[in-house]
Amino acid sequence: MNYVRLDALFHNGRFTTLDGDRPQATALGVIGGRIVGFDDEVRGLSADVVVDLGGAPVVPGLNDAHHHLSMRGKRIRELDVSAEAAPTLDALYRAVAARAANLPADAWVTGAGYDQNKIGAHPTAEALHRAAEGRPVWLTHTSRHMAVASTEAFALAGYPDRLGVPDVPGGTVVRDEDGRATGLLQERATVLVDHLLRPEATEEVIANIAAGAHAALADGLTSVTEPGIGTVDGIGHGRADLDSFQRTRERGELGVRMTVMPYITALRDCGPFEPGGEWFGLDLGVRTGVGDDRLRIGPVKILSDGSLIGRSAAMCCEYEDTPGNQGLMLFEPDELRRYILEAHRCHWQIATHAIGDAALGAVLDAYEEAQQKYPREDVRHRIEHCAVADDAAVARIAQLGVIPVPQGRFLSEIGDGLLAALGPERSRLAYRMRSFLDAGVVLPGSTDAPVVAASPLLSIHDMVNRRTAAGLPIAPEEAVTPLEALRAYTIGSAYAVHEETVKGTLSRGKLADFTVLSDDLLAVDPARIGELSVGATVVGGEVAHNDGAAC
C-alpha cells in the first residue's frame, strides 16, 4: 500500500472499534470518506491531512435513533421555558413578559420546554395574556404532546374569550366550569391553534435545522434519525420539509448524517402503480431507503398515543396519580390498523410511537397482521419509546423481530414524573433495556431531544445507572453495561435503519465516522460517565467539530 496517498490519517488515538476482528487500534486511514486501514496498514503513508489525537479515546460515531433535530434547533432559537431556565410558574410568566417587551404589539411569543411536573401546574391562558400584554402566546410542553395558548391566541384561532373551542378526536381541550378553555390543549387538539404557526417559512426551518445540526456535532453525534417531518397536522414544519433539509445540506450546514421519517399523514393513496396494485405512500414510489449516506428517507412515523408525563399515553390500567384516567389513542383502531397495513404492504419500514401498554398491544397486533397478509423479509418495524412493556410484550417483540427504541435520558430528567404516573409496581416495566437484550432484541440508543438533553453521553450514563433526578432507582434490574450502551448508540442505531453495513463499527470499508472522548467510556467509574465530554467529532474523515482533541 505504500503507493497510496490517504485523504486523512488519524494517529495517536485509542480506537475502540467494536469490530471483533480488530477491537483496538491507534491509527486509522481514510480515502473517500471511508476507512481503508489501521495501524501498520496506514503508517508511513502520506496523507493530505494528518491529525494527532493526543492519545485520546475514540469510539465509533455516536448515532441517535430518535432525535428531533429540527425541533431541537427551533428550541435553541426560541424562548426557553424549561425548568432550568424558568424553575417556577412565576418565573415562566416573567420570561414571557421579558420576551414580549421586545416584540411588536401583534407578534407571537413562542417558547417550549415547560414541565408541569417540575413547576407545579400548567400555565393558563389568562395569565399568559397578562404577561404578554395581549400578544398571542404559544408554549409547547417539554414532551411536545401538549401546549398552552393565551387568550389572544385562542381569539386569533376563531375562539374569542376562549369559548366554543371544539372537541378534537384523539385530543383533549381542558375547560373550566364555565366552558372556557383554560389554555391547555393535549395531543391532536393542539392543531386548533398550532395551525396558525405552520407551515413555517423555509428560511426559518433551514435555520432551525442548521442550529440543531451544529449542536448535534458538538454532542459527538455523527448520525441522527429525525422522527417525523412533512406535515402540519402531525409532526413537522410543513409539506416541504425534505426540501429544507436538502437546502441546508447544499449550503454546507448539515454536517451530521440524517435519516428522516415522513409522518404518516404525509403519505396518501396515489392510485394504481401496477395491474391490481394501489400505491400508498409518496409520489413516484418514494419510500424507505431513498437517498444517500448524508440524507435519506427512513421509516414512516406514526403516533399512536400520548405521553407518560402528560398522562395521555394509552394504558391498560389507570394512572397511579390520576384515577379514572387511562390516556388515549390518537387514531381510531381501524384507522391505525389501516395505516400500518397499507404502509407495510407498500414496503415502508414503520416506526410507531407507542408509550402506553395498551397502545403497544394494538400496534403489535397490526404489525403481526401486516406480516401475515403481506410477508416481507427483514422488515425491522419499530416501536418508538416502548415505555411500558410486560414480559409477554417483550417476548412478542422478540418473536416479531420488532425494534424497540427506548430513551435512556428519560429515566433521570423525567423519571420522577414517570414514577408518580406509574406507581412502584408498574414502574418496573418502564423503559426496559436489559430484558430486550436478554431476549435477543437489537437495542438502539436515543434521547427524543429536545424533550430531554440531547447528549448521548448523558443518555448512556442513564442507561447504565438508571436513577431519577431525585436519586431514586427506576427499574434498576433493567440496567445495561457501558459496553452494551455504547453498542446501542452505534451498532444498534445503525441496525434500526438498515445501515449496519456502513455504520456502527470502525471497520475497513465503512464510513469514517467517529467520536473522540475526554476519557475511556468503558474504563471509567460508571457513575462518572455523564461527566465525560466530547473532544472532537469526525464525519466522513473530516473534523466536523473540534474542542481541542484533533491537532
Side-chain angles (χ1 to χ4, degrees):
M1 285 183 67
N2 57 7
Y3 63 93
V4 173
R5 183 175 181 85
L6 302 172
D7 292 335
L9 173 64
F10 295 85
H11 68 104
N12 194 19
R14 290 182 284 149
F15 291 87
T16 296
T17 68
L18 299 184
D19 183 338
D21 293 334
R22 187 193 294 266
Q24 303 290 330
T26 60
L28 177 153
V30 180
I31 295 177
R34 293 185 180 251
I35 299 167
V36 295
F38 299 90
D39 295 345
D40 292 342
E41 298 170 337
V42 296
R43 284 198 180 95
L45 297 180
S46 57
D48 293 340
V49 176
V50 178
V51 179
D52 187 339
L53 296 175
V58 184
V59 296
L62 299 175
N63 184 342
D64 193 323
H66 186 115
H67 181 125
H68 298 273
L69 182 132
S70 61
M71 290 185 185
R72 182 186 183 193
K74 181 177 174 65
R75 176 87 167 262
I76 290 168
R77 301 176 65 237
E78 66 185 358
L79 178 63
D80 182 4
V81 289
S82 66
E84 292 72 26
T88 66
L89 197 54
D90 285 342
L92 181 148
Y93 293 137
R94 288 195 297 271
V96 169
R99 174 60 66 94
N102 294 311
L103 294 174
D106 59 349
W108 281 78
V109 179
T110 62
Y114 87 88
D115 184 351
Q116 86 286 0
N117 295 289
K118 296 180 179 179
I119 63 175
H122 292 281
T124 68
E126 186 176 357
L128 290 173
H129 184 80
R130 290 195 300 268
E133 296 186 337
R135 295 171 181 82
V137 183
W138 181 247
L139 300 182
T140 306
H141 189 265
T142 188
S143 68
R144 296 276 170 177
H145 282 263
M146 61 189 83
V148 288
S150 69
T151 299
E152 178 63 12
F154 277 106
L156 291 173
Y159 313 111
D161 205 22
R162 294 178 276 120
L163 289 170
V165 183
D167 291 325
V168 177
T172 302
V173 178
V174 179
R175 302 179 180 88
D176 63 20
E177 60 274 11
D178 296 323
R180 285 183 172 83
T182 64
L184 179 62
L185 301 173
Q186 295 180 295
E187 304 302 342
R188 296 179 78 177
T190 57
V191 73
L192 294 171
V193 173
D194 191 39
H195 77 277
L196 297 173
L197 299 169
R198 295 193 289 170
E200 297 184 50
T202 299
E203 288 301 324
E204 281 295 303
V205 179
I206 291 171
N208 293 340
I209 294 169
H214 179 80
L217 291 168
D219 283 332
L221 291 167
T222 60
S223 292
V224 165
T225 294
E226 172 109 1
I229 66 166
T231 69
V232 294
D233 61 344
I235 305 177
H237 307 284
R239 285 285 184 179
D241 277 350
L242 187 59
D243 172 69
S244 295
F245 276 94
Q246 188 169 345
R247 291 198 205 191
T248 310
R249 174 185 176 176
E250 290 166 351
R251 296 180 187 183
E253 298 183 66
L254 187 65
V256 66
R257 301 186 193 275
M258 292 297 307
T259 297
V260 296
M261 297 184 186
Y263 190 64
I264 188 64
T265 54
L267 276 56
R268 63 186 183 88
D269 292 305
C270 298
F273 76 102
E274 65 180 11
E278 302 286 321
W279 179 257
F280 177 74
L282 300 176
D283 288 332
L284 303 177
V286 172
R287 61 171 176 83
T288 300
V290 171
D292 59 21
D293 60 36
R294 287 285 177 170
L295 178 60
R296 61 190 293 272
I297 294 177
V300 60
K301 171 72 178 294
I302 306 174
L303 286 170
S304 75
D305 70 342
S307 74
L308 273 178
I309 58 172
R311 308 327 190 248
S312 57
M315 305 292 291
C316 293
C317 303
E318 297 177 347
Y319 283 93
E320 179 79 5
D321 57 356
T322 52
N325 175 26
Q326 292 181 232
L328 74 163
M329 297 291 290
L330 302 189
F331 292 103
E332 292 297 323
D334 287 346
E335 186 179 19
L336 177 66
R337 174 181 167 275
R338 185 227 174 218
Y339 274 141
I340 289 174
L341 263 65
E342 283 295 276
H344 174 91
R345 179 181 65 82
C346 291
H347 290 265
W348 286 89
Q349 184 185 10
I350 304 169
T352 308
H353 164 121
I355 285 185
D357 46 7
L360 175 60
V363 174
L364 290 177
D365 286 347
Y367 282 174
E368 185 170 13
E369 181 183 355
Q371 183 66 7
Q372 289 173 348
K373 286 191 172 182
Y374 312 109
R376 290 169 50 192
E377 293 185 3
D378 197 23
V379 180
R380 305 186 198 178
H381 290 330
R382 301 167 36 145
I383 300 288
E384 307 304 298
H385 310 299
C386 201
V388 182
D390 62 16
D391 291 346
V394 171
R396 194 176 181 197
I397 285 168
Q399 187 269 326
L400 293 174
V402 169
I403 301 171
V405 189
Q407 286 68 48
R409 191 60 184 169
F410 279 15
L411 298 167
S412 62
E413 285 199 33
I414 58 178
D416 292 301
L418 299 180
L419 290 176
L422 294 175
E425 289 302 315
R426 290 179 62 74
S427 65
R428 295 177 56 250
L429 307 179
Y431 293 96
R432 304 182 78 169
M433 296 175 187
R434 163 60 50 206
S435 294
F436 286 129
L437 290 178
D438 288 350
V441 174
V442 174
L443 180 70
S446 72
T447 58
D448 198 18
V451 174
V452 295
S455 167
L457 294 173
L458 293 178
S459 187
I460 288 171
H461 174 95
D462 289 333
M463 294 170 73
V464 173
N465 293 284
R466 294 188 69 99
R467 287 191 173 271
T468 72
L472 299 175
I474 180 166
E477 65 275 12
E478 292 295 332
V480 300
T481 68
L483 177 59
E484 288 167 335
L486 176 61
R487 289 177 63 88
Y489 256 96
T490 51
I491 297 169
S493 293
Y495 183 88
V497 285
H498 293 269
E499 288 194 303
E500 72 275 13
T501 60
V502 294
K503 297 178 182 177
T505 66
L506 298 177
S507 309
R508 289 185 65 179
K510 287 192 174 181
L511 296 167
D513 298 352
F514 51 88
T515 306
V516 185
L517 301 177
S518 60
D519 207 339
D520 188 344
L521 172 66
L522 304 181
V524 300
D525 181 344
R528 288 190 52 239
I529 292 173
E531 300 173 13
L532 301 185
S533 60
V534 174
T537 307
V538 177
V539 182
E542 297 182 1
V543 179
H545 167 78
N546 189 7
D547 196 24
C551 302

